[in-house]
Amino acid sequence: MRAQPLSLCLLLTACQGAIQVTPPPEEVPAMKVIATAAVERTRPTRTTPGAWSTPSALWLQSGEVTVLDGALVRQKSGTDFSTLTVGTDLESTLPGDVKALSRRGDGVLLAATGGFFHDAPGRLLRAPVSDDFSMETIRFIDAVNGAVWVTTSTDAVRVLNGHRETVRINDEAEAGAVQAVVGRTPASALVVKGESLYAVDLAAKTVKTLARGIATVTAIDHRGETVLLGTSDGLIEVGATVTRHTLGTIVDLEAVGDVTLVTTTSQVLQVSSVAVVLAEVTQPWPDALTKDSSGDVWLLDGNALVRLSTSITVPPPSFAADVKPFMTAHCRSCHATGANYAPQLDLENYGTAKTWAARTLTRITDTLAPMPPASTETLTPAQYDVFVRWVEGGLLP
């Protein structure tokens, strides 16, 4: 995730305080769980533009792919890579081992053993607030409109206007340690403590329990108003509701437009309504996945910098050739006759199918009230992928 422009929260020494909140007794809604199977399409072209001894992080800076390789910061320049300066002309501090980074757009806020570093033209600069943290304890950082939310091995911390505050949640039902804090605004955040997910409003001093049963958090990001959590049990989307996609263990994720790029322990996926396989990986890294302005996906796989070119595209399916056979196979038996209380619809007709497309998409992807009903047939994501791509591709006749 990209850091927002840095304010006094990183330029001044942070003073300390603590805010404690206690959730009220309430019934916690169950997470919606979607079994999101990976599907195959034509894969993008894979190339290896670089390979180094100790690469450990990847981001876009000034629109260019930038890699932290040991003590060096390498930035793509044409077909080659140049070295960026770390520090000012008067002072230089090596980043050291990466602990976490926050990427958004064309810049970065980086937490490493050498301190906090933020992007500047042609270089990385160390922030003085680094001296107020034990960098070895940092797990995640998240910059949101001037506030920096920091997850350490023991606390959820907000740094705002030079003031550092620890957020503590007192929940008798949850004895686990803090896993992650993700900012929504400078005054509100999501906190994962133990296996519980909370929405915290520091201005109102309130907290609400959103979900239980959260697995180990491995990555964080934002997609618009939706917060994304990569976990050891898949991808969790936190918006109006909490939804988990069972994709296996997530190593890294990056939100790009309406989709989410995800690295698992073995694959790179592009997740929207389905999870499309982009590539296989053998040694994925956290904080090492991004997408450039041309749409190409970049990642670190072991010591290699990998580029997945999206120049190869697959035309969207048409109704006549692709979707009508789907309707005949999976929808006609009920909707043509009204069986199982289904509304009588001629879904083999293009106009009818187009009119009902949004409702159909909602029902076939709903694991709680699916269509077709579970008593008749259970569709897998791979089976209804053709319908999803038809909707996404513009409902072609």
Side-chain angles (χ1 to χ4, degrees):
M1 296 178 296
R2 199 273 193 216
Q4 298 289 343
L6 300 180
S7 67
L8 292 177
C9 64
L10 288 183
L11 301 179
L12 299 177
T13 301
C15 54
Q16 298 187 19
I19 297 176
Q20 300 194 40
V21 287
T22 303
E26 56 188 328
E27 182 177 348
V28 181
M31 276 189 292
K32 180 179 180 180
V33 179
I34 299 177
T36 307
V39 299
E40 286 284 355
R41 298 180 189 168
T42 302
R43 294 192 181 187
T45 302
R46 177 171 179 155
T47 57
T48 306
W52 301 287
S53 58
T54 55
S56 58
L58 170 68
W59 64 90
L60 290 183
Q61 184 167 329
S62 301
E64 298 295 341
V65 174
T66 307
V67 179
L68 182 63
D69 173 33
L72 299 177
V73 181
R74 305 179 185 271
Q75 186 170 79
K76 188 174 181 298
S77 178
T79 59
D80 205 354
F81 285 80
S82 58
T83 301
L84 296 187
T85 302
V86 179
T88 66
D89 295 333
L90 301 177
E91 180 182 30
S92 178
T93 302
L94 298 180
D97 297 332
V98 175
K99 308 303 295 182
L101 64 81
S102 180
R103 291 187 290 254
R104 286 185 188 171
D106 285 346
V108 68
L109 173 63
L110 180 73
T113 51
F116 287 98
F117 295 83
H118 62 88
D119 54 287
R123 66 185 64 210
L124 287 180
L125 296 178
R126 186 177 186 271
V129 76
S130 308
D131 299 330
D132 296 294
F133 284 89
S134 172
M135 301 306 295
E136 290 287 354
T137 68
I138 291 178
R139 297 190 66 239
F140 299 109
I141 55 174
D142 186 28
V144 179
N145 296 329
V148 179
W149 298 90
V150 182
T151 309
T152 73
S153 57
T154 57
D155 293 310
V157 179
R158 178 184 69 170
V159 180
L160 179 64
N161 297 328
H163 188 71
R164 169 180 167 174
E165 295 172 308
T166 300
V167 180
R168 297 196 175 108
I169 296 174
N170 304 315
D171 185 359
E172 294 182 355
E174 180 57 77
V178 170
Q179 285 206 66
V181 55
V182 189
R184 279 182 155 169
T185 70
S188 63
L190 298 180
V191 177
V192 180
K193 180 177 183 288
E195 295 186 349
S196 300
L197 172 67
Y198 305 91
V200 178
D201 186 330
L202 298 188
K205 302 293 192 299
T206 60
V207 59
K208 179 179 177 62
T209 308
L210 299 182
R212 305 282 192 192
I214 304 294
T216 302
V217 179
T218 56
I220 63 175
D221 204 352
H222 303 252
R223 189 179 64 238
E225 298 297 317
T226 300
V227 170
L228 305 171
L229 302 173
T231 76
S232 57
D233 194 28
L235 173 67
I236 294 177
E237 298 179 333
V238 187
T241 59
V242 182
T243 302
R244 184 176 73 224
H245 298 268
T246 55
L247 294 169
T249 299
I250 305 298
V251 177
D252 196 12
L253 62 86
E254 173 83 349
V256 183
D258 294 332
V259 303
T260 304
L261 298 175
V262 167
T263 306
T264 70
T265 53
S266 60
Q267 294 180 318
V268 184
L269 306 171
Q270 181 171 290
V271 182
S272 53
S273 53
V274 294
V276 178
V277 179
L278 300 182
E280 308 293 333
V281 290
T282 57
Q283 188 183 341
W285 290 77
D287 303 320
L289 177 68
T290 194
K291 192 172 187 177
D292 66 19
S293 58
S294 68
D296 290 350
V297 175
W298 298 74
L299 66 142
L300 293 176
D301 188 4
N303 292 341
L305 174 66
V306 174
R307 181 179 188 172
L308 304 177
S309 174
T310 56
S311 57
I312 297 178
T313 59
V314 180
S318 69
F319 180 80
D322 305 291
V323 177
K324 185 176 179 179
F326 171 84
M327 295 296 194
T328 301
H330 303 291
C331 307
R332 184 179 187 279
S333 62
C334 290
H335 285 284
T337 63
N340 293 314
Y341 305 101
Q344 283 190 263
L345 300 168
D346 183 7
L347 292 175
E348 294 169 292
N349 175 272
Y350 170 67
T352 304
K354 183 178 180 180
T355 299
W356 285 78
R359 176 64 173 163
T360 302
L361 180 61
T362 299
R363 289 298 305 278
I364 63 176
T365 58
D366 189 336
T367 57
L368 298 179
M371 184 178 70
S375 60
T376 302
E377 179 185 15
T378 300
L379 293 182
T380 67
Q383 287 175 302
Y384 60 67
D385 175 56
V386 65
F387 189 86
V388 173
R389 289 189 291 119
W390 180 60
V391 174
E392 292 178 344
L395 305 170
L396 299 181

